[in-house]
Amino acid sequence: MQDCETKSPWTQFLEFVQTRCSRAEYANWLAPIRLAQATPDEIVLEVPNIFVQEYLLDNFKGVLSNFLPMRTSGDLAITFVVAAAPKKEASRAPLQVEPETSDSSHYELKLNQHYTFENFIEGPSNQFVKSAAIGVASRPGKTYNPLFIHGGVGLGKTHLLHGIGHYIKEHSKKTKIQAITTEAFINDIVDNLRNKSIDKMKRFYRTLDVLLVDDIQFLQNRLNFEEEFCNTFEALINQNKQIVITSDKPPSQLKLSERMVARMEWGLVAHMGVPDLETRVAIIKHKSESRGLNIPSQIAFFIAEHIYNNVRQIEGAVNRLCAHSRLLATELNQDIVERILSEMFQSNAPQKKVSVESILKSVAAVFEVRVSELKGESRIKEIATARQVAMYLAKELIDDSLMKIAVSFGGKTHSTLLHAWKKITDQVQLNEILRRQVQMVRRNIES
Ligand code: ADP
Ligand code: MG
């Protein structure tokens, strides 16, 4: 008891939790907190950043209430102040070891030279992510931290990640930066464990200014590695060092520990969408021009309409056209392009025999209407549009007379069907949402 009186309640709290959490956890989260002021009614804690404050309250609120004064409202009587600049006192946190001096050539930064911000074509689907990436690259550790980029395969996540790397390398040469795939990170751990050089590796990662991690989904089901990654992550973020992570899924859908998911959701979670038609055309133009091939706009649109959900495939198509055009030495026209690229075209998948009923069912599901309404006469806009889409698809996908098809639509005439087909053909050119809905129905039918 006597001892307690001589020690501040904060110190008592620290001593208590030190026995209950891991060394790394303590070093990363608790050691960096400084007791700025203490009175019997209140304490003031200086934290390096808001994350440390959140961590403390999320994990130790109950324990803290046993040691520290409470306000009449029932809240803990703690005031937090965020330290103005990151603390350089390495000795405070045992894991922030002295800067790496020995050979680190093994950890050389490898960036794809083409993956720069300049080469990244912007559109509505990726504008937000790109500006977040530029923000992070311009002021590492000071805007969004971590920046978590997620989206489907081949949409440019790695490209933007390396873009950040290039930008920082070019603008602040002293910044210590590492870009790594999650697989490589895991391999590094394995190698270093084998060579008994794991401490050196830890030291390297924990003294970085910027860590760029690609494809974090590969950390799923790798428990031991997850913990090591999480410790590295925490050590860096608590020194306000920048972390950028890419993934094929948002954090909440990753099979990782709650601790890891929560860390990744701290900063900005940004989604990389599928580029719209115009952006795909711009990408085709950009990629082909950089390879010295001029693809006419009409052809670029034609390709973009047929390859729509993976930029890597679009790039593959451009490469193939470049190779052929060198051999052919003729102007590209739609027929040639279709012949060269036909097996890459997504809507050219072998077609099954399609029935009007399957089209109606698919349209009803995507447009959220009933099949009976599609066959009926209602002029409510949503229903009428859905009905016209069904007619359009029936004409596109069913190899039968228009008259016969029209009958399956509750006895419509063949001119009604033709009118619907023309209208939707025009509208899908202009209306991206409608185009996507039509694609979705088509895919449902064809899959
Ligand atoms: P992900 O990591 O999302 O699977 P990548 O970054 O590897 O995708 O991108 C696949 C290819 O597509 C790369 O060659 C990249 O340069 C290109 N790419 C993707 N999006 C764009 C874009 N918006 N502008 C230019 N190229 C892009
Ligand atoms: Mg990638």
Side-chain angles (χ1 to χ4, degrees):
M1 198 63 209
Q2 232 179 15
D3 195 28
C4 288
E5 272 160 20
T6 55
K7 283 181 186 165
S8 79
W10 174 247
T11 311
Q12 290 171 40
F13 163 76
L14 285 182
E15 284 178 359
F16 178 80
V17 290
Q18 199 161 11
T19 59
R20 278 171 173 66
C21 61
S22 73
R23 203 176 138 253
E25 194 181 3
Y26 185 84
N28 286 333
W29 293 106
L30 296 156
I33 303 174
R34 201 175 67 81
L35 179 65
Q37 205 185 326
T39 67
D41 301 327
E42 191 189 54
I43 66 162
V44 180
L45 295 177
E46 189 186 86
V47 286
N49 55 46
I50 186 85
F51 304 136
V52 172
Q53 173 182 334
E54 280 177 13
Y55 175 86
L56 183 71
L57 295 177
D58 283 351
N59 292 281
F60 298 109
K61 210 169 184 173
V63 184
L64 279 166
S65 64
N66 294 332
F67 290 88
L68 302 181
M70 305 291 282
R71 298 192 209 281
T72 45
S73 61
D75 292 331
L76 288 163
I78 309 179
T79 301
F80 286 97
V81 288
V82 176
K87 291 267 173 282
K88 286 247 153 60
E89 306 162 52
S91 59
R92 295 197 60 80
L95 282 173
Q96 298 171 15
V97 222
E98 72 284 358
E100 172 79 14
T101 46
S102 54
D103 169 42
S104 60
S105 55
H106 165 62
Y107 297 104
E108 226 175 275
L109 178 63
K110 292 187 197 83
L111 298 173
N112 183 317
Q113 55 162 330
H114 300 293
Y115 290 1
T116 59
F117 287 149
E118 293 73 31
N119 285 338
F120 189 85
I121 308 295
E122 244 178 270
S125 64
N126 59 31
Q127 231 151 24
F128 177 69
V129 198
K130 185 176 176 185
S131 36
I134 294 177
V136 157
S138 318
R139 302 177 65 226
K142 298 209 171 59
T143 50
Y144 319 106
N145 205 10
L147 170 62
F148 188 97
I149 300 174
H150 68 96
V153 178
L155 296 184
K157 300 181 297 296
T158 302
H159 187 139
L160 266 193
L161 192 76
H162 286 206
I164 295 172
H166 282 298
Y167 186 98
I168 295 177
K169 242 176 89 180
E170 193 180 323
H171 289 82
S172 49
K173 299 213 158 39
K174 285 200 185 130
T175 304
K176 196 169 163 193
I177 172 170
Q178 175 72 348
I180 191 154
T181 64
T182 303
E183 284 293 74
F185 181 79
I186 291 174
N187 289 342
D188 248 7
I189 296 180
V190 174
D191 284 350
N192 283 290
L193 279 173
R194 194 182 307 128
N195 300 334
K196 301 198 170 44
S197 50
I198 191 76
D199 285 342
K200 187 176 156 197
M201 175 190 162
K202 284 185 184 177
R203 201 154 56 230
F204 171 80
Y205 280 102
R206 288 170 198 189
T207 53
L208 288 170
D209 298 310
V210 179
L211 176 61
L212 309 173
V213 185
D214 208 5
D215 290 327
I216 198 76
Q217 69 271 13
F218 292 117
L219 205 59
Q220 293 177 112
N221 307 320
R222 321 286 297 261
L223 259 188
N224 296 335
F225 300 110
E226 183 185 330
E227 189 176 345
E228 179 49 38
F229 180 80
C230 204
N231 289 338
T232 305
F233 179 106
E234 291 176 347
L236 288 174
I237 219 138
N238 283 342
Q239 303 170 74
N240 291 329
K241 301 306 174 70
Q242 181 70 49
I243 297 179
V244 185
I245 296 174
T246 73
S247 164
D248 66 350
K249 298 181 201 70
S252 58
Q253 287 176 24
L254 288 168
K255 289 194 191 78
L256 294 173
S257 68
E258 268 178 42
R259 172 183 171 204
M260 194 62 225
V261 170
R263 305 292 175 267
M264 292 188 300
E265 284 177 336
W266 260 338
L268 181 69
V269 175
H271 179 239
M272 179 89 89
V274 175
D276 65 359
L277 182 70
E278 282 69 29
T279 314
R280 298 200 298 277
V281 169
I283 292 173
I284 292 171
K285 288 271 193 192
H286 177 85
K287 302 265 176 204
S288 53
E289 274 157 24
S290 68
R291 287 164 180 72
L293 176 72
N294 178 28
I295 297 186
S297 291
Q298 206 193 342
I299 303 279
F301 266 96
F302 178 67
I303 301 168
E305 266 163 4
H306 287 85
I307 306 181
Y308 34 80
N309 52 13
N310 184 328
V311 181
R312 192 173 292 132
Q313 282 172 8
I314 292 180
E315 209 169 26
V318 170
N319 288 342
R320 200 184 273 203
L321 285 183
C322 285
H324 275 79
S325 76
R326 251 177 247 128
L327 293 174
L328 290 170
T330 52
E331 283 268 301
L332 287 175
N333 61 39
Q334 193 161 316
D335 284 345
I336 297 181
V337 170
E338 197 166 359
R339 193 154 38 78
I340 299 173
L341 300 181
S342 61
E343 83 258 27
M344 297 178 90
F345 283 177
Q346 288 165 329
S347 51
N348 265 15
Q351 286 179 8
K352 289 188 304 193
K353 213 163 163 29
V354 177
S355 67
V356 172
E357 283 308 315
S358 67
I359 293 175
L360 289 171
K361 259 197 216 152
S362 261
V363 170
V366 170
F367 285 78
E368 297 180 339
V369 297
R370 291 168 208 270
V371 170
S372 59
E373 289 172 325
L374 294 175
K375 288 185 175 179
E377 303 290 338
S378 168
R379 301 226 172 141
I380 295 172
K381 193 162 174 269
E382 287 73 25
I383 299 176
T385 304
R387 186 184 300 127
Q388 288 175 330
V389 167
M391 291 180 172
Y392 162 85
L393 285 171
K395 173 164 158 35
E396 288 279 299
L397 302 176
I398 300 176
D399 197 12
D400 212 340
S401 81
L402 282 189
M403 230 162 347
K404 252 187 167 172
I405 299 174
V407 170
S408 316
F409 276 89
K412 306 280 186 306
T413 64
H414 99 283
S415 67
T416 307
L417 202 124
L418 203 57
H419 171 75
W421 178 79
K422 281 203 184 112
K423 192 163 163 210
I424 300 299
T425 306
D426 290 344
Q427 281 190 355
V428 289
Q429 303 295 324
L430 307 170
N431 181 338
E432 173 73 14
I433 296 177
L434 184 68
R435 184 174 30 248
R436 291 224 185 131
Q437 286 172 315
V438 172
Q439 279 169 359
M440 210 186 292
V441 176
R442 218 179 234 259
R443 252 174 268 151
N444 285 349
I445 297 169
E446 285 167 351
S447 65

